């Protein structure tokens, strides 16, 4: 007896659920390592199959983030548990190089589960190359989630703005000086472009913009803690309870809140602070009165995202593994944003 999962002795891999057996095929050396654990004398105990898979990945790779070579896809084990068994089995046999049909099937699965493969993430490298930029030093220690944030920012900026090499280069250097991590760099980069295109007569620099809005952002960083994984119904109950106690649902971080506000108000207004307060009031009303339209695990498997449709665009709440529920982003549609320019 060497492997015990939820008080059950595992004597052969076939005792695992179909999903776990499929995952063991996707994980490099997953099945041989599992068989070795079953045969060894030292007892290994896990509370669930999910915990076992995470333990196995940490043992094999030092991370719960898998790179599926045949699919050019980085994905967390927590995300893979979200996939339906049939979709997971399809991924196990797909090869993105084989045929146009398989590439279409893969693309459909990626879209269905909000996944971005390495081919799409190469947009970051192409963007830097196009504007003759070096990777910022903070890129070397960046998390996978931070890289996805940068990818999403680049996608948005290319749709929302007419970019020139001079403007992009200036935004890049300014954001590099302001940021302490790659996620903040991405948001500061986008903020600079918003300011540059705002034609504001009162906000004389992006630093002035930050100084002006910092107090209101800092007053909206408080968020509740959930001791359980929220489904859509319990999410709505928790949000209403949080508001009934006199609280606003806060942003996940300073730059998340700052960029969300900047993207959703007109910076050429006579009173941006007043407009920011009005925006936040409307946003909180939306969250109180609107049902979540989509719930999914993040690609890294480290947080759960809840999507809300507002009149302006998509609002995303994030529930991380520590149980913090927060406002992660609010991306207006580029057509609405262009009305501000």
């Amino acid at each position: 007896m060497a492997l015990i999962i939820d008080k059950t002795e595992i004597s052969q891999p076939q005792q695992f659920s179909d999903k776990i057996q499929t995952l063991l095929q996707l994980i490099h050396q997953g099945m041989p390592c599992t068989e070795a654990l079953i045969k060894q004398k030292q007892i290994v105990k896990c509370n669930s199959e999910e915990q076992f898979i995470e333990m196995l990945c940490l043992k094999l790779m030092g991370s719960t983030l898998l790179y599926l070579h045949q699919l050019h896809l980085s994905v967390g084990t927590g995300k893979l548990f979200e996939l339906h068994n049939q979709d997971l089995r399809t991924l196990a046999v797909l090869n993105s190089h084989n045929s146009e049909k398989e590439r279409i099937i893969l693309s459909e699965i990626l879209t269905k589960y909000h996944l971005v493969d390495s081919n799409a993430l190469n947009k970051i490298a192409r963007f830097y190359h196009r504007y003759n930029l070096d990777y910022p030093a903070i890129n070397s220690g960046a998390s996978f989630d931070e890289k996805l944030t940068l990818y999403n920012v680049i996608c948005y900026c290319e749709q929302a703005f007419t970019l020139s090499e001079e403007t992009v280069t200036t935004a890049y250097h300014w954001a590099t000086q302001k940021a302490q991590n790659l996620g903040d760099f991405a948001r500061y980069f986008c903020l600079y472009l918003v300011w540059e295109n705002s034609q504001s007569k009162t906000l004389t620099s992006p630093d002035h913009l930050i100084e002006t809005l910092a107090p209101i952002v800092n007053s909206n960083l408080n968020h509740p803690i959930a001791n359980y994984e929220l489904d859509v119904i319990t999410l709505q109950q928790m949000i209403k309870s949080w508001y009934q106690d006199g609280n606003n649902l806060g942003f996940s971080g300073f730059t998340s809140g700052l960029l969300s506000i900047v993207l959703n108000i007109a910076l050429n207004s006579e009173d941006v602070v007043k407009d920011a307060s009005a925006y936040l009031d409307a946003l909180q009303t939306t969250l109180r009165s609107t049902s979540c339209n989509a719930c999914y695990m993040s690609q890294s498997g480290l947080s759960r995202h809840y999507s809300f449709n507002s009149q302006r665009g998509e609002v995303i709440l994030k529930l991380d593994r520590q149980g913090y529920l927060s406002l992660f982003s609010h991306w207006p549609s580029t057509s609405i944003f262009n009305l501000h320019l």
Side-chain angles (χ1 to χ4, degrees):
M1 183 172 67
L3 182 57
I4 300 176
I5 297 180
D6 191 22
K7 300 179 181 180
T8 299
E9 177 186 353
I10 303 297
S11 59
Q12 54 184 349
Q14 287 72 24
Q15 289 176 254
F16 286 113
S17 65
D18 289 344
K19 177 169 286 187
I20 299 301
Q21 291 185 54
T22 304
L23 278 174
L24 291 176
Q25 296 175 40
L26 280 168
I27 299 169
H28 181 63
Q29 294 296 310
M31 188 63 77
C33 186
T34 299
E35 292 172 342
L37 286 172
I38 291 173
K39 294 176 182 178
Q40 72 176 12
K41 293 181 179 180
Q42 180 182 358
I43 296 176
V44 176
K45 294 183 179 181
C46 296
N47 294 327
S48 64
E49 289 185 328
E50 289 85 353
Q51 188 183 66
F52 167 70
I53 289 295
E54 291 195 346
M55 180 274 295
L56 183 67
C57 289
L58 286 170
K59 180 180 179 68
L60 290 172
M61 297 162 293
S63 171
T64 59
L65 188 69
L66 302 176
Y67 182 66
L68 307 179
H69 295 270
Q70 75 279 17
L71 303 174
H72 303 295
L73 179 67
S74 294
V75 60
T77 55
K79 178 67 175 181
L80 290 173
F81 293 131
E82 182 183 62
L83 274 64
H84 294 305
N85 287 351
Q86 183 57 53
D87 291 330
L88 195 59
R89 284 193 289 269
T90 300
L91 286 183
V93 299
L94 275 179
N95 188 316
S96 61
H97 294 297
N98 276 354
S99 67
E100 180 64 23
K101 180 180 179 180
E102 290 197 348
R103 284 193 287 272
I104 291 173
I105 293 173
L106 175 59
S107 177
E108 290 173 347
I109 293 177
L110 295 179
T111 301
K112 179 179 179 180
Y113 292 101
H114 307 270
L115 293 168
V116 180
D117 64 12
S118 297
N119 294 327
L121 282 175
N122 282 336
K123 173 185 279 287
I124 297 174
R126 293 193 297 270
F127 186 84
Y128 282 134
H129 178 73
R130 184 182 312 125
Y131 295 103
N132 299 309
L133 304 172
D134 296 324
Y135 275 84
I138 52 178
N139 188 81
S140 59
S143 69
F144 183 66
D145 281 334
E146 289 172 348
K147 293 177 182 177
L148 285 175
T149 295
L150 178 57
Y151 167 80
N152 287 324
V153 163
I154 290 175
C155 289
Y156 186 84
C157 289
E158 287 186 334
Q159 294 179 45
F161 309 110
T162 300
L163 301 177
S164 68
E165 184 169 344
E166 180 182 0
T167 300
V168 168
T169 301
T170 305
Y172 165 87
H173 288 298
W174 180 81
T176 301
Q177 293 173 353
K178 302 293 295 185
Q180 296 182 347
N181 60 62
L182 192 66
D184 284 348
F185 164 81
R187 298 184 188 98
Y188 279 127
F189 176 83
C190 186
L191 181 144
Y192 184 94
L193 295 178
V194 178
W195 172 82
E196 176 71 22
N197 285 271
S198 69
Q199 300 178 348
S200 174
K201 297 179 181 179
T202 56
L203 300 169
T204 56
S205 70
D207 291 288
H208 185 201
L209 169 60
I210 295 174
E211 180 183 354
T212 302
L213 293 178
I216 196 169
V217 176
N218 286 326
S219 65
N220 283 272
L221 296 178
N222 191 24
H223 36 72
I225 300 177
N227 294 319
Y228 46 86
E229 186 173 292
L230 297 173
D231 58 24
V232 173
I233 295 176
T234 52
L235 168 72
Q236 209 66 40
Q237 292 172 341
M238 186 171 192
I239 290 175
K240 289 181 179 179
S241 175
W242 183 249
Y243 286 129
Q244 287 171 357
D245 290 338
N247 303 303
N248 281 343
L249 188 61
F251 291 98
S252 57
F254 179 79
T255 57
S256 296
L258 183 65
L259 182 59
S260 293
I261 292 172
V262 167
L263 284 171
N264 287 281
I265 65 173
L267 297 186
N268 56 4
S269 167
E270 293 182 358
D271 192 340
V272 294
V273 173
K274 180 180 178 181
D275 288 357
S277 296
Y279 157 70
L280 289 173
D281 288 343
L283 177 58
Q284 302 293 337
T285 299
T286 296
L287 295 175
R288 282 196 297 267
S289 59
T290 306
S291 297
C292 168
N293 64 283
C295 170
Y296 56 92
M297 186 66 70
S298 67
Q299 186 162 338
S300 67
L302 298 179
S303 61
R304 184 166 291 278
H305 289 178
Y306 303 90
S307 174
F308 291 75
N309 287 333
S310 72
Q311 292 182 343
R312 300 184 54 81
E314 182 184 38
V315 181
I316 296 179
L317 304 188
K318 180 177 75 171
L319 178 65
D320 64 22
R321 285 196 166 189
Q322 286 70 48
Y324 291 105
L325 177 68
S326 59
L327 274 160
F328 182 59
S329 64
H330 184 187
W331 293 101
S333 66
T334 53
S335 59
I336 291 177
F337 178 75
N338 285 334
L339 294 177
H340 288 164
L341 303 183

